């Protein structure tokens, strides 16, 4: 299903005067308005291919309305659709083996047609595939058996190859490796085995590529994780070399962790890879971005904007931005639209922070003033700014409303059927 | 120090056109504007007398700039000052023995002069006083020794007497009772002793009075607390009778607790007393309200508005609203202004929630729509509404800015000296 | 597969002298030795039918060695096997629809042959079954649609009927009901709908039956749970009536919860149903009992022994004891043997607590002494006591060693095949 | 007060036959018995000078029975007393400015007389001292004002000087530096300032000295901590150089952290400094070691023993072992005796782990066997081994019992008075 541009225009026209009033109001108080609108327009969040279908928990997966993508081509179509609506989802992140491109050339062409790039490739050594020789039951890169580690390494190298064909330039390695019980593994040996395996993958990285080492505190292993926190990930990345970085997934921390400080320090060390965005209340809940604690998201973006500016980095291209969520009770496409919107809102708020005044307040330890500065930016209703940037880029002023008005899901069900189930968790 | 009204007016005049522009903008989209402005004007948050001085932690207390209130009279002056600025702090909550009124009549008159009421009285059986016969080292109302329990009961009854003289109508009982080590106490006996003690206090309550039973998960006891969670507090309140209620302090929960659900259920049971507002990241951090997770505060107010409306309750008068924070690195008065503002912002956002649409979304399990409705209200910049309500009530459009412009703290230091230390934690 | 008694005897004979030495040593210091041995022998822990197969997480399930039970008959055989080895697993807890008995009479006979009783029946409204009319995607007993609630109620009544045929006398209701996002549901309405549904189930309970209301803080729902903590469960149980109780699952709490205090208070209120035993480090990890924090397990048993003794309850029969764990990386039967052993060890330690001395220490607030008393019991090596009780009851002195010596799993694989997968999570 | 050796002998004689029976029983199954007894005898845990008095919380401090040390000399006496009883407390860790030695030579002589060494010195930049020029209200080594940082650096260098005079060889730096509110500080600048300050202290370290960088997740700052977790501490230690190490305090982690894994990895990196032992349920509760989760303590010691053995380290001398607890409801000396006992018990259990069998189990991913091996060691009653090592070293078989029998506290009160209050938290 393709969204015809004229329908978006019609939709926008119907609400543009209301938008104009709001935009003019908020724009009047914004310094460097055009600069901010350009940054908002440039900012692109990659959609992972596995987020296009309905997810589940270990207790089960409930049926969706259907219309889920049945192939890599349809996944690209779905992301293209999101991007047509919000102009901020111009990349897709593939997962191997769920998304093996049988014909890379035609897949690339299809993506280009939708204005999409191929973001980080994702390997999978946390599940066994039907035809797989060795099981990952007791880990992959950490495994005590060299043959299992070799299989995991080779899988990652294969993923890089697929990525090269598609024009991706980074590999995200998330390892579920760890243990469920005290005594199950020797922590040091597990670390050393993992490091050695990662080194072999690193050696196979093309020149322009980056290796993203993701960490996670717990789950699916319930006692220890071999890349368990940012400290461990940074150790690996430092030992691997300049092309290795630490990837932050918002849901992969212990309760109460100060993620924004982690982000700031990783930027300081030049080792921040980017993000897997989502939100959570308890653990790795994989909820819609900004649905539980939007202020935390804002604080993270504040660190990103200030830290990247200090290092002279390009917001849009120097880090990897991706959503990693699961949609158990929402239409996946609607959920993704809400997630991208929440990201854009937080980014816009962060761009409004008066950094100069904040620095002064910090230097004089004026804590009250520092809070006023942050909250002034955060409490501003920046939705019209985000909408304006989207409008200028050709997107819909209100993507969710447009999606519903056009009954996109209904059309997808008609096209693809009501019982389709996309790959994913 | 008294703030002269004409200075507030001058200040308001200087920024009123900017305010007007913002207010008109946001007001244009608000249904029942006058109703909302009235509710905002009516809403009063009590200031606890112990929050007017600089707090500390167990590692120490650092000096403030001074000017802290040296007497009950000066505490009332401080709250009067806050109220003059924001018109939303029209009550003070006293703590015995820190605030024993030597002359109740003159204290009442002074408060009235500042437009202040006396909110809930607070007893203290978590510290030993110099002249005290029995120590609360091993608890007060839970104590294995009947004489200690009796002393705690009598103290509470004395607090009620002071409250009656001042026109207060409720007693908040926060018990630090509990244990630091497994085996230290018999949980059941501790509960039964506490219940019996509370019953004796309850018996001494005047007719119109309410008893608020506060709960806390941990600290100062580090293994168990005898009124440890809402379940325990509700058990006490139910066994005590219709005048006993559960008080919620936002910082008194285990990590990740869903406080808004607790609020909703206590309202359902007709047993919600009210709030001690603050914010926290780790434990009972007693930070400025709304400084860490303002969305949670909004969600709590959403439950309050909907739940109170359903029961036909008056927002302003049917529950107790109080700040309970500690100001270790901020000027206490500035901190309190920020806290009250955060409360008013969250309340205003909650008043904007389209309850009818939300009910429909809930009935049809339209989770995406429900989120849109909440976020539409939350993302609205309601500061002009709050400011307008304040303006109409005679307060300052921007209390913190006014406070600084007038150098209120500097004047207090001049009046009271630089080394004053108010009672508190 | 049946374990022949003479093999157990042979095994025991081979290590009995070593056992005898240890038992005599520890027994010499035990008061009321025979009483304790009898209590240990009487104590039976039910095995849930779904714990006999290899579990998984939402990220996947890894293959086991096979030999998993393919039918209800084989599940009973497996529990029979456990019971033959440890003489402490004399009950099985069934789950509907996974364990629908096609012929109740023969199933009962088979169980009796293995010395097994039917413990609590478990309903399932947290997953959709293939032939089901309404989906539980948005809850079951809480659902906004009366027809869904009715379906859930009728399912529970059907489960009771199966239970009656088998001689069970209790129904455990665990509801996954809740919400994933703020605004998704009205907490009060969800509570009221759930209460009404539970009342209908309660009305269908046979006279001697009990209804166990299980609570869980989170997962599979990630924002709120409609029976979320002991406070909520107790509210339901109190409103339902005298046959309704609160069931405690050790893994269903927020971080750092003091579970032993909850247990003590529920006993005080006469509303404790019993336990789902497991252990965890992060959330509902469903690990082997006692594998992460065995001291906590001991403290819980200490409360149970003291609390039940005070109320004159029978340890073995007045509460429900069940394991509820998931075995992702262990042989399920070995894991269950380890879990039961950990329970027996904790129970034996709790029986050794000098309650009289502890009461004295508590009355005099002698915290050091109270800790000495608890640790004296806990640090005692009670394994010989547990083994002796097992030996006298006809079990194996060391069940795990026996299981391995006899290659029980290998025999099960031979009998049942290597690719069997039992129902479960 | 000095404990006369003959009294210890008398006490031991009175219970030695009971001890002998127990020791012979457990010793019969222990490999390398003499080696283990020697290791237990060699292991010494330093007592911090501030743990000898009654502690408190931010809510207050309750009176003790008195007899607390009034001077550095009496603190040394107290530790000498503990050491005379358990022969495992042969070191004291001083805090400046609470313990400034006016005459180092005589203090050294006094300590030597009691068989005590001077363990790590502790600086204090988390409180303001009366005569101090700059305040640490907004941090010390992180401070935005260079003059404050300089003051903090100079204080640390002064602490080193005191330490050199006394024969200490390490400096522990615990910084309370951090922030209470978002925006209060720039994380990177705070890190860089802290690093620069630490480098200046490092430059002043004598050749044989070590610098221990302690981390803490939160408190007294409630939003961020500038040395917040092991990852941050390791970053500092790596940047500082080979004499800098990471110190682990058991209570300084986020909920559910896997501390034993952190310990293992720090050992792997050659950067583990040692420990501040205590226990906790919620935060930095500073409870008696082993009073809440003794299995965790055992797991940590298991990592220590295996990791140190692999690196050829000496258990007793190559890491720093210290208690860091607060005694709010217990006699401090009794509490310390219980803490040391819990440490020795965990160490003894760890020494019993069959490392060879464990390695085999790990290599074959035999998780059940690995757990059996750990639990076999843990469930062994090792108290007789610890007592025997103590007996041979001249200590009391049961230190707490001896302490009470001799009414040591009563004698101290007589000597020093009932109202003494030692320095500390």
């Amino acid at each position: 299903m393709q969204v015809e541009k004229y329908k978006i225009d019609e939709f926008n026209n119907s609400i543009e005067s209301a938008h104009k009033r709001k935009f003019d109001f908020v724009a009047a108080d914004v310094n460097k308005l055009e600069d901010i609108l350009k940054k908002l327009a440039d900012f692109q969040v990659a959609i992972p291919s596995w987020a296009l279908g309905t997810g589940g928990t270990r207790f089960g997966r409930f049926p969706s309305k259907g219309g889920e993508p049945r192939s890599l081509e349809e996944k690209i179509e779905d992301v293209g659709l999101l991007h047509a609506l919000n102009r901020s989802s111009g990349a897709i992140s593939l997962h191997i083996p769920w998304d093996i491109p049988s014909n890379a050339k035609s897949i690339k062409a299809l993506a280009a047609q939708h204005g999409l790039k191929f973001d980080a490739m994702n390997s999978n050594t946390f599940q066994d595939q039907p035809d797989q020789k060795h099981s990952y039951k007791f880990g992959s890169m950490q495994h005590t058996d060299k043959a299992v580690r070799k299989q995991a390494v080779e899988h990652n190298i294969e993923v890089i190859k697929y990525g090269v064909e598609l024009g991706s330039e980074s590999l995200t390695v998330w390892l579920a490796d760890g243990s469920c019980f005290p005594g199950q593994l020797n922590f040091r040996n597990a670390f050393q085995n993992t490091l050695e395996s990662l080194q072999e993958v690193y050696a196979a990285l093309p020149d322009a590529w980056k290796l993203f080492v993701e960490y996670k505190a717990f789950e699916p292993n319930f006692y220890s994780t071999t890349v368990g926190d940012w400290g461990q990930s940074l150790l690996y990345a430092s030992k691997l070399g300049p092309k290795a970085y630490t990837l932050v997934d918002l849901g992969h921390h212990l309760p109460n962790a100060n993620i924004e400080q982690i982000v700031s320090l990783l930027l300081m060390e030049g080792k921040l890879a980017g993000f897997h965005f989502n939100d959570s209340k308890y653990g790795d809940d994989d909820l819609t971005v900004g649905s539980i604690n939007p202020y935390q998201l804002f604080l993270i973006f504040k660190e990103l904007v200030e830290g990247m500016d200090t290092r002279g980095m390009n917001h849009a291209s120097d880090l990897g931005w991706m959503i990693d969520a699961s949609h158990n009770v929402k239409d996946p496409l609607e959920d993704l639209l809400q997630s991208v919107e929440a990201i854009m809102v937080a980014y816009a708020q962060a761009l409004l922070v008066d950094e100069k005044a904040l620095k002064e307040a910090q230097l004089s330890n004026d804590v009250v003033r520092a809070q006023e500065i942050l909250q002034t930016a955060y409490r501003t209703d920046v939705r019209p700014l985000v909408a304006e940037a989207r409008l200028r880029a050709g997107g819909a002023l209100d993507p969710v409303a447009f999606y519903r008005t056009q009954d996109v899901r209904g059309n997808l069900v008609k096209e693809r059927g009501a019982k389709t189930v996309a790959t994913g968790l």
Side-chain angles (χ1 to χ4, degrees), chain A:
Chain A
M1 189 214 171
Q2 289 269 32
V3 172
E4 286 152 300
K5 184 66 174 66
Y6 81 92
K7 290 200 174 161
I8 293 181
D9 293 340
E10 277 179 12
F11 175 83
N12 287 347
N13 290 341
S14 72
I15 56 173
E16 196 163 0
S17 69
H19 162 68
K20 186 94 180 45
R21 175 181 157 265
K22 290 177 187 174
F23 173 70
D24 288 345
F25 170 75
V26 68
D29 284 339
V30 174
N31 285 330
K32 303 197 196 171
L33 177 68
E34 290 305 319
D35 178 53
I36 286 178
L37 289 173
K38 183 175 182 325
K39 280 178 176 156
L40 291 173
D42 288 349
F43 202 84
Q44 300 296 321
V45 183
I47 307 296
S49 69
W50 62 87
L52 301 164
T54 308
T57 70
R58 67 168 166 137
F59 295 96
R61 180 191 282 214
F62 288 102
S64 70
K65 289 178 193 153
E68 298 191 2
R70 295 160 298 180
S71 63
L72 178 50
E73 284 77 3
E74 290 186 357
K75 289 177 181 178
I76 290 172
E77 249 181 47
D78 269 16
V79 179
L81 205 149
L82 293 174
H83 191 47
L85 266 56
N86 67 19
R87 306 311 299 165
S88 306
S89 308
I92 182 167
S93 188
L94 300 189
H95 172 282
I96 303 299
W98 296 334
D99 304 315
I100 294 179
S102 50
N103 183 334
K105 201 174 270 181
S106 72
I107 288 292
K108 266 184 90 164
L110 181 65
Q113 199 180 315
H114 287 281
L116 306 180
K117 292 185 180 170
F118 288 95
D119 205 84
M121 299 295 293
N122 302 272
S123 57
N124 179 340
T125 61
F126 54 89
Q127 291 177 321
D128 286 353
Q129 306 305 326
D131 54 343
Q132 189 176 309
K133 196 165 176 194
H134 302 286
S135 170
Y136 295 131
K137 182 167 187 166
F138 298 105
S140 59
M141 291 196 179
Q142 77 170 13
H143 205 284
T144 52
D145 181 349
K146 171 92 187 168
V148 185
R149 304 201 294 272
K150 191 157 177 269
Q151 175 181 289
V153 168
E154 283 169 359
H155 166 69
N156 273 278
I157 292 175
E158 195 196 2
V159 174
I160 294 173
K161 276 188 196 140
Y162 286 123
V164 168
E165 289 178 16
L166 294 171
S168 168
E169 291 193 324
S170 50
L171 171 70
T172 295
V173 177
W174 172 59
L175 297 175
D177 293 36
S179 67
C180 274
F181 293 97
Q184 180 179 339
L185 52 76
N186 180 298
F187 296 127
R188 291 193 325 278
N189 294 352
F191 187 98
Q192 297 295 353
N193 285 340
T194 302
L195 177 60
E196 184 191 293
S197 303
L198 285 171
Q199 283 167 333
E200 293 175 29
V201 174
Y202 188 88
L205 276 186
D207 277 356
W209 275 54
K210 293 176 181 174
L211 177 64
F212 296 168
V213 183
E214 191 169 355
Y215 61 88
K216 185 171 186 184
F218 61 95
E219 198 214 18
N221 270 296
F222 290 122
Y223 172 63
S224 74
T225 301
T226 300
V227 193
D229 61 13
W230 77 276
Q232 290 172 66
S233 173
L234 182 59
L235 261 190
Y236 287 110
S238 301
K239 289 171 194 286
L240 285 170
K243 296 192 288 189
Y245 297 84
T246 292
L247 186 86
V248 178
D249 181 299
L250 299 187
H252 290 189
H253 300 82
L254 292 177
N256 305 338
N258 186 322
I259 302 175
E260 49 271 31
Q261 186 182 19
I262 293 171
V263 167
S264 172
L265 296 182
L266 286 171
L267 263 178
M268 178 183 79
E269 293 294 298
K271 282 296 198 185
L272 182 65
F275 283 84
H276 278 185
F277 288 113
N278 49 52
D279 210 341
S280 57
K281 188 162 178 64
Y282 303 101
D284 185 33
D285 307 341
D286 274 336
L287 300 179
T288 317
V289 184
S291 63
I292 300 295
N293 192 343
Y295 194 55
Q296 184 188 49
L297 187 67
F298 161 73
L299 293 176
I300 290 169
F301 267 101
K302 189 199 79 65
E303 292 306 321
L304 287 167
V305 166
E306 191 267 348
M308 293 181 83
D309 286 351
T310 302
R311 296 179 71 87
M313 293 167 78
N314 182 307
H315 296 186
S317 57
D318 283 350
L319 292 182
W321 313 106
M322 193 175 102
I323 289 168
D324 186 8
S326 184
H327 321 289
N328 305 335
V329 294
K330 288 180 175 176
D331 177 321
L333 294 178
E334 293 184 350
D335 194 335
L336 289 162
L337 290 173
Q338 290 187 315
S339 279
V340 173
E341 181 75 4
I343 292 169
M344 299 309 291
V345 162
Y347 179 40
Q349 290 163 331
L351 290 170
L352 292 188
V353 170
D354 184 342
E355 278 294 345
K356 190 162 159 290
L358 183 61
K359 278 202 171 60
E360 285 168 16
Q362 289 171 342
L363 283 173
S364 56
N365 294 301
D366 187 344
V367 185
V368 166
R369 178 94 186 98
Q371 181 173 313
E372 291 286 295
I373 292 164
L374 291 195
Q375 291 188 337
T376 293
Y378 179 71
R379 286 172 176 164
T380 303
D381 188 345
V382 299
R383 288 173 297 176
L385 298 177
V386 173
E388 178 70 15
R390 197 158 49 219
L391 179 71
R392 296 189 186 179
L397 274 171
D398 184 338
V400 170
F402 178 82
Y403 181 92
R404 293 201 156 193
T405 310
Q406 298 293 316
D407 191 19
V408 174
R409 179 56 61 189
N411 287 315
L412 289 172
V413 172
K414 268 183 222 151
E415 262 183 52
R416 301 172 181 170
K419 302 223 164 170
T420 59
V421 177
T423 47
L425 291 171

